[in-house]
Every structure is written in C-alpha cells, then in structure tokens.
Amino acid sequence: MSDAATLTRKADFPGLLTADGKPWHYLDTAASAQKPQAVIDAMTRALGRDYATVHRGVYGRSAQMTLGYEAARKRVAEFIGARSENEVVFVRGATEAINLVASSWGMTHIGEGDRIVLSTLEHHSNIVPWQMVAERTGAQIEVCPLTEDGRIDLGALEALLTPRTKLVALAHVSNVLGSVLDARAAANLVHAFGAKILLDGCQAAPRMALDMAALDCDFYAFSGHKLYGPTGIGVLWAREEILDAMPPWQGGGAMIDRVTFEKTTYAPPPQRFEAGTPMITEAIALHAAIDYVDALGPDRLFAHESALAQQLRDALRGLNSVTLFGPEQSAGIVSFAIEGVHPHDLGTILDEEHVAIRAGHHCAQPLMDHLGVPATARASFGLYSDESDIAALLRGIERTQRIFG
C-alpha cells in the first residue's frame, strides 16, 4: 500500500456512514466535500457558547469573536501564500467571488471591443458573469480550445491574445476532467499582453498546495465547502493594489468609512467588499478545515487522489463499452460514460449499492458539447477516499452493465 493510502481517515468524517451504519462510498467530493468532526465541532462552538456578532460590539464576547473571524482571514492568507490578509475577501462562494470581480473590476476596466478569454472546459460560474459583462459593455468573448487529452491549450491561448484582451479567466483544475492548468505559464502569456488573469481554484484549493506569488495570477477564487469546510463561504484573493482601485460591489453596513445623505466614503479592502453582517461562524469553521487539510499536507493530498484516479482509470479501461474523458494524469477526478447507459441511470443503481457519484453536465454544458455527450458520470476522490471506494464503484458498474446488457 502506498504512502498516499495513509492519508485516509474515514473515522473523522461522520457523513461517511449510511443511516444504518454501513459504509457510504462517497465519490462526489468535487461537488462538495464531507466535513471532518473538527470542522463540525468548530462551527457548533461558534454557533453556541462563543456566538456574538463581530466588529461592532464593545463587550468581551464580541471582541473575541472578532478576533476569531479575522484570525480565519489570516489563516486563509497563510494557506494560499498571500502577501497580506488584506488581500483576502470573504464571499459566499466562488460564484460570488467571480461575480464580484466581473461587476466591480470588469465593469470598470472592460469596454466596447475589448476581449475576454475563457476556455472550453469552464464551469458556468466562470462563463455567465463574463457574458453579462460582455452584454453590458460590448466586449467580445473568445474561447480557448483544449488539447486532444482535455487540457487548456496554452499555444492556442497565446494566439488568441491581443492588446485588446483585458481579462483571461481559466479553471486551475477542471471540475469534469481533472486536468491541471500550468497556471504560471498561462499568467506569463497573459501578462505579456498587459491583461489580467483570474483563476477558478475550486478544485485546486482542496487538493493542491497554493502560492499566489508563484502562480502570479491577479485574482483567485475558491469555495469553502469543497475544502472540507461549510457552505456559504468562499474566498476571493486579489492583489492588494488591484483591490484598492476597485469600487464597491454591494452597499450596506460594514463596508463604509462615513455615511451622509450627501456622500458616502468607503472602507479600504477587504471590508469594502464585505457589506452587511459577515459569515462569522462559517469563517471560523473554514479556519478549522484549513488546519485539518494543512496538517495532512496538500502535496500529499494531490498524490493520494491522483493515484486513486489513475487506479480507477486503469480499471475502467478494462471494462467493455466504457469511454474515459480527460488526461491520463488528473487531480482526483474521473469522468466516463458507459455505452447504452445514461449517467443518471448509473447513478441511481450505484446509490442502491451505497456509492455516490455525480451524473450530469456538471455545470459545464459547453464542455459536454465539445465531448459530444449530453452528460458524463463523474467519480471524484477526497482525502478520505481509498481502494474500497473504487472496489464498490466497480461492483456497481458491473451490476449496471448486467442490467442493461
């Protein structure tokens, strides 16, 4: 058994059991990760004995909660290699982070005839906000194609770039194919034309070591619930000088300096972009999730999940009527199709076997069109996954093939 196999800690995750106490083979981590008990405990304490609002209260518990909330911001900054916690904006999720950039930075810096470059494999959350910007400004959307094995084609990206390119928005890791972008190489190409680059890090943050300086991107977005934390919180990282120049996105309490009916002045980032009562308990639980992941080591997580993905691909390749999508080496995500079996039917039968996969277009319909299928089945691994999950999936697939054979 490889060193990567020692990462599995199923007992830490109460969600990995069925209602009657049997193992639940959860292979849908790319959609949302199960939560370790440490995260559940942190959120329970924050909602209970420790709860108070932040930033405004002068009483002791409010001051302590404020310290905890801001400590979470600092922990995120450390985890992703940010220069300062002032570069970390808490949002509801990666979708909100990308919309924030599109509405604030995009509507300020992108105009008629300018170009926004996306790729074929993007999640809808990294397509639709830019379409909205293009519709409002008269900018053009251009699409970077993929290599034959399902990676963003950097040669094609370079050919698309012009002085009119203002922003390139790409997935760091594909949520369907598991293909990993050479993010630094992409950033070098984009910056050579004076444009900015945004990376959708939803699938990278839970399974790769991150360093914003090394990536050299301008914006980075990810969600807490995929990083073994709670729903309702995500992170937008951006260079401090870029955030300083961006106008507010939403108005309300907490994001102001002074309000009069004649004029309002705004707080500096990140508070400028966090209108209203923040996601207090979620931030504290995210802190706990990052501590959990960091203790295991992101590099080891990547090796562990990639090894399981390779093992599954090798097994599926030996089955009749199975088509695999994406590169041979992926970041813990395997998408496939079985001839004559709709992915939804497969998912239903697997559920009877206590195996959970994702079946559908995975919020990536342009990629499905490119692959020539309406949907795929997707198995995605987490730090708690092991060979038993693969074995259960294969048993379920074999049963499905007998039913539809």
Side-chain angles (χ1 to χ4, degrees):
M1 191 171 287
S2 69
D3 177 65
T6 64
L7 277 176
T8 56
R9 299 168 64 160
K10 289 183 182 289
D12 288 357
F13 294 82
L16 293 180
L17 293 174
T18 65
D20 55 0
K22 295 180 180 178
W24 190 42
H25 300 283
Y26 186 73
L27 293 171
D28 198 20
T29 299
S32 193
Q34 293 294 313
K35 317 308 173 193
Q37 191 63 49
V39 170
I40 298 168
D41 291 344
M43 194 154 188
T44 299
R45 288 193 301 271
L47 282 168
R49 73 182 192 203
D50 295 342
Y51 185 76
T53 191
V54 297
H55 295 149
R56 302 177 186 86
V58 296
Y59 49 93
R61 191 185 290 190
S62 176
Q64 286 301 116
M65 201 60 146
T66 299
L67 290 174
Y69 179 74
E70 293 302 333
R73 192 191 308 277
K74 184 175 182 180
R75 186 68 180 94
V76 170
E78 293 169 349
F79 182 66
I80 65 174
R83 291 178 300 179
S84 163
E85 59 265 37
N86 292 331
E87 296 182 327
V88 173
V89 180
F90 283 134
V91 288
R92 289 183 299 164
T95 298
E96 183 167 275
I98 296 170
N99 276 274
L100 191 165
V101 176
S103 296
S104 177
W105 186 90
M107 292 302 295
T108 304
H109 292 86
I110 297 172
E112 186 173 359
D114 288 337
R115 297 182 176 185
I116 302 166
V117 179
L118 312 175
S119 85
T120 301
L121 58 69
E122 299 309 312
H123 189 281
H124 297 165
S125 293
N126 203 27
I127 298 175
V128 179
W130 304 114
Q131 289 177 328
M132 291 177 173
V133 171
E135 289 167 0
R136 294 168 186 167
T137 64
Q140 300 174 13
I141 299 284
E142 296 187 315
V143 181
C144 179
L146 307 181
T147 61
E148 188 174 340
D149 66 349
R151 302 175 188 273
I152 295 173
D153 188 333
L154 293 185
L157 173 63
E158 184 174 19
L160 284 173
L161 298 171
T162 77
R164 295 304 302 269
T165 304
K166 298 300 180 184
L167 183 94
V168 176
L170 304 173
H172 195 175
V173 172
S174 167
N175 74 308
V176 176
L177 305 176
S179 49
V180 181
L181 172 71
D182 186 341
R184 181 58 184 259
N188 290 343
L189 293 175
V190 171
H191 290 154
F193 283 85
K196 297 289 190 288
I197 181 168
L198 177 146
L199 296 178
D200 171 1
C202 277
Q203 301 300 334
R207 52 180 57 90
M208 294 173 65
L210 297 179
D211 184 335
M212 294 300 105
L215 292 176
D216 197 30
C217 58
D218 301 290
F219 305 97
Y220 200 92
F222 62 92
S223 293
H225 71 100
K226 298 180 192 291
L227 185 57
Y228 306 95
T231 55
I233 189 166
V235 170
L236 169 66
W237 171 88
R239 298 178 186 274
E240 194 164 5
E241 60 272 20
I242 296 176
L243 287 177
D244 281 339
M246 285 169 53
W249 178 43
Q250 296 174 323
M255 49 75 69
I256 57 90
D257 171 39
R258 176 167 171 74
V259 174
T260 69
F261 282 110
E262 291 71 34
K263 181 178 176 60
T264 294
T265 55
Y266 304 112
Q271 286 75 23
R272 183 186 304 164
F273 304 105
E274 296 180 8
T277 301
M279 49 290 283
I280 304 166
T281 58
E282 291 86 350
I284 289 169
L286 178 60
H287 187 161
I290 288 173
D291 284 347
Y292 187 94
V293 168
D294 222 17
L296 295 174
D299 287 331
R300 295 179 66 218
L301 265 64
F302 184 84
H304 172 70
E305 296 173 27
S306 296
L308 290 172
Q310 187 63 61
Q311 182 178 333
L312 176 58
R313 290 183 71 90
D314 290 343
L316 291 175
R317 194 177 290 107
L319 298 179
N320 293 328
S321 305
V322 174
T323 300
L324 287 162
F325 302 102
E328 275 304 301
Q329 295 183 331
S330 73
I333 297 171
V334 179
S335 280
F336 61 96
I338 301 175
E339 185 178 350
V341 182
H342 194 284
H344 289 164
D345 294 327
L346 174 63
T348 299
I349 295 171
L350 287 173
D351 186 43
E352 296 172 358
E353 301 288 329
H354 303 313
V355 178
I357 65 163
R358 179 66 47 155
H361 56 66
H362 317 296
C363 295
Q365 288 177 313
L367 178 56
M368 296 297 108
D369 293 340
H370 169 76
L371 297 175
V373 295
T376 71
R378 182 187 71 187
S380 53
F381 298 102
L383 60 86
Y384 36 64
S385 303
D386 62 19
E387 290 84 353
S388 71
D389 300 312
I390 294 177
L393 172 62
L394 293 174
R395 288 194 300 270
I397 290 174
E398 290 168 359
R399 179 190 168 206
T400 303
Q401 289 182 313
R402 289 195 301 269
I403 292 172
F404 283 85

